[in-house]
Amino acid sequence: MSTQDLAPSPLGPVDVEQAEAALVEHYPRLVRIAYLVLPPSLGRNRRVLTAHALVQRSLPRRRTSAAGLPGSRRSEDAVDPGYAYVRGVVLRQALIAGLPLRRRALPRRAQFPPLLPQVWGLRVFPRAGGADELALDQRLSALSGPARAAYVLRGLERQGDPEVLRVLVAAGVPEAEAEGALAEADGVEALYALLDSPEFDPCSLQARPTDLMRRRQHGKAALAAAAAVVVCGTLLGLPGDGWGRNGAAAPSYARNPAAEAALDPGKLRRVPAGLWQRSARTDFSVWPTRGGLAQDRELLRRALAVWARPGGSVQASATPGTPVGPPMGSPQLLYAGEIDGWRVVLFHDGLRAVRYAEPAGAASGAALDFARTDGADAVGSAALVLSRTTANVRYLTAPWVRETAVRDLLAPAKEPWVLARDADGVTSAMLSPAQARGCTVWNTLQVRDETGVRLLTDLGELTPARLTSGPPTPTAAAVDATGAAARAVWARTACQLATVRSHGVRSVNAWAFAEQRLPEGGGRAAWLCTRAETWRGTGSRVLAQFQVPAPGAGAGAAAAVVAKAEESPACGVREPRVLAGVLWQAKGGQWYVLAAGSEEFASLRTTGGVEGEAEGRLLAVKAKAGARADLHGTLENGTRVGALR
């Protein structure tokens, strides 16, 4: 929720350090803004690279006055002057990049393909979304650049029309054209929640090879030219004491004993069965070596070689924050076997789990996947994804897992059903929600060990995410989402797990932080908070959700997302509190601003478009349709806290 305060408040001066800090902190958001504003006619590969290039060269060369920027100290806009400056530069360059080259006009740098970053041998593009995202992308492609910018500022930056107009004018759009862009953006349905989907995330990418035949022809010509350069360079370098830039360093993996040992299948670390029962640690390091192809040296040699030097035809992926370099010494072999028509090898090197797969009946088409696993405990190392088809997934489970079952999060009252495993701990195929288009079922893996029952869900990565429930506190961690109350909460929020797919998520906690009686006899509404933590520590995501009773809907009716944040401590062990609000219409037609906070709040207040306050942590104030207000609360110790955003 936001308030439009039209009084200007000029920002202070912005220096390089301030802008750089804002760029690093908000880099994924800035790249997403650039990607959405750039014209789709560029193609998805060039659009991704251009978006990254525009953000990376948006820093000021020296201390810069920001007086020309849109004045704003409202909560819906960037309170950080550095972020406001960088965002303005990114928007200006993205709008310029969408202009056609003309003979009589001097070309601008943003109109040319980016010099950096560059990707050789691969085409990169965001992960595909659903039909709604595709339809929205087609509608945005029909808009002008300023209209796309207006739509993005409204939906992604949560700005009102007056502030959008200021930002567009500051980015170089004439005022009349900016007003026309606002009107043009009104013609697109307000599907703002889709702007956060993987379809428009240029920081989480898929890769495919370029034209291999043409690349081979060009490669032969380049090889001949390189050979001529090497011969000439060798002749020129003979008289000296050595002119190489790297001195005595050998070429990669050439005459380097440590590197060669890491690629020797005979030196792979193999853990015997039963070691985990007497080890002080219970994690991936004590997984035994399993699989019918664990002695296939040629397969293991290929897997290690592709890991060290993946070719252009290899489909590679990595969770955010995962290094993709070669093995750091001889890795541990977890599994090697044939499953679902693929020969699969799983490695672990202490920091990463690495999966290599090749078709059993073909000589090409290998895949390589990386995932961070540092700091994994017994639950975090309970399972790894072994095989994934279009709809199904198989897991390799830890030796301490006693039972496996499948539980549907959207059917909390339904009993789980047994999921069979073979002697190596490989489960039968189960329906995976990782690539599902809809959300009618959400099957999770339920595992039982000697300490309890856990729920794990596939989010499109090697490591499934752990699901927990309960209010986070510094002294007591949330519990596994296996009880009846926890399952009821997850039935409401399970479909929102799609927003954290392929994000390197380690665990997700959901809990109901408040219940509120709705005005005019509307029943009782639930306020939920969902927090996703990552393996890398940064990149957490928080969602506040609001669920109202629906005719014929049970406890599992889906909740609506009313606020979201990235890199926020809210709703976590460091800052357990959370505050959120929503504009809601009663059956009689009257609109209300509803708000709720966690137990730490003593009072709530709205200002701006809607004025009201309430003692306690619940608020309901009459409002008009489309009203925007600024919400904040006061804690029991007198501290003033803003709403989640």
Side-chain angles (χ1 to χ4, degrees), residues 605-617:
R605 184 178 181 183
T606 61
T607 57
V610 180
E611 298 284 344
E613 59 182 325
E615 294 296 323
R617 59 194 185 104

Side-chain angles (χ1 to χ4, degrees), residues 214-409:
R214 182 177 299 175
R215 195 171 74 196
R216 180 180 298 175
Q217 296 170 357
H218 292 174
K220 291 179 179 179
L223 183 61
V229 171
V230 169
V231 171
C232 294
T234 302
L235 294 175
L236 291 173
L238 284 177
D241 295 330
W243 48 268
R245 177 181 177 184
N246 295 323
S252 300
Y253 303 105
R255 299 182 299 279
N256 186 320
E260 291 178 353
L263 302 182
D264 184 355
K267 295 185 178 181
L268 287 170
R269 291 188 291 114
R270 298 171 182 262
V271 175
L275 178 64
W276 66 273
Q277 295 174 318
R278 54 185 184 275
S279 172
R281 299 174 58 176
T282 308
D283 54 22
F284 290 112
S285 67
V286 294
W287 271 34
T289 299
R290 292 172 283 181
L293 300 179
Q295 303 302 325
D296 189 335
R297 292 179 62 90
E298 292 305 314
L299 171 63
L300 300 178
R301 189 184 304 279
R302 289 195 300 273
L304 290 168
V306 171
W307 179 358
R309 303 181 301 277
S313 63
V314 176
Q315 298 184 24
S317 70
T319 59
T322 305
V324 295
M328 300 170 290
S330 299
Q332 177 186 350
L333 176 61
L334 303 180
Y335 178 88
E338 186 169 329
I339 191 78
D340 294 334
W342 290 78
R343 289 186 287 265
V344 180
V345 183
L346 280 178
F347 298 108
H348 187 256
D349 68 353
L351 172 66
R352 305 166 291 181
V354 181
R355 175 183 177 271
Y356 169 81
E358 64 180 27
S364 61
L368 188 65
D369 303 301
F370 297 85
R372 283 186 68 164
T373 58
D374 48 317
D377 55 10
V379 180
S381 56
L384 285 174
V385 170
L386 186 62
S387 171
R388 181 183 287 112
T389 59
T390 303
N392 295 327
V393 63
R394 294 179 189 265
Y395 295 95
L396 178 66
T397 56
W400 52 85
V401 171
R402 298 179 177 179
E403 299 175 4
T404 54
V406 182
R407 181 180 285 280
D408 182 4
L409 284 184

Side-chain angles (χ1 to χ4, degrees), residues 444-521:
T444 59
L445 175 67
Q446 179 173 292
V447 299
R448 180 186 296 275
D449 57 25
E450 60 183 2
T451 61
V453 179
R454 328 287 181 187
L455 278 187
L456 308 173
T457 186
D458 180 20
L459 293 179
E461 299 169 343
L462 278 182
T463 52
R466 180 184 184 183
L467 302 182
T468 60
S469 181
T473 66
T475 57
V479 299
D480 288 280
T482 53
R487 296 199 306 272
V489 169
W490 267 109
R492 305 168 183 175
T493 190
C495 292
Q496 300 302 333
L497 286 170
T499 63
V500 294
R501 288 172 179 160
S502 304
H503 192 62
V505 172
R506 180 174 188 164
S507 63
V508 189
N509 183 58
W511 59 295
F513 65 88
E515 286 192 357
Q516 183 175 24
R517 187 174 297 279
L518 297 173
E520 302 183 18

Side-chain angles (χ1 to χ4, degrees), residues 419-444:
L419 182 65
R421 294 185 296 165
D422 64 15
D424 286 329
V426 179
T427 69
S428 299
M430 60 174 281
L431 187 65
S432 169
Q435 300 182 19
R437 295 294 185 183
C439 189
T440 55
V441 295
W442 195 285
N443 286 344
T444 59

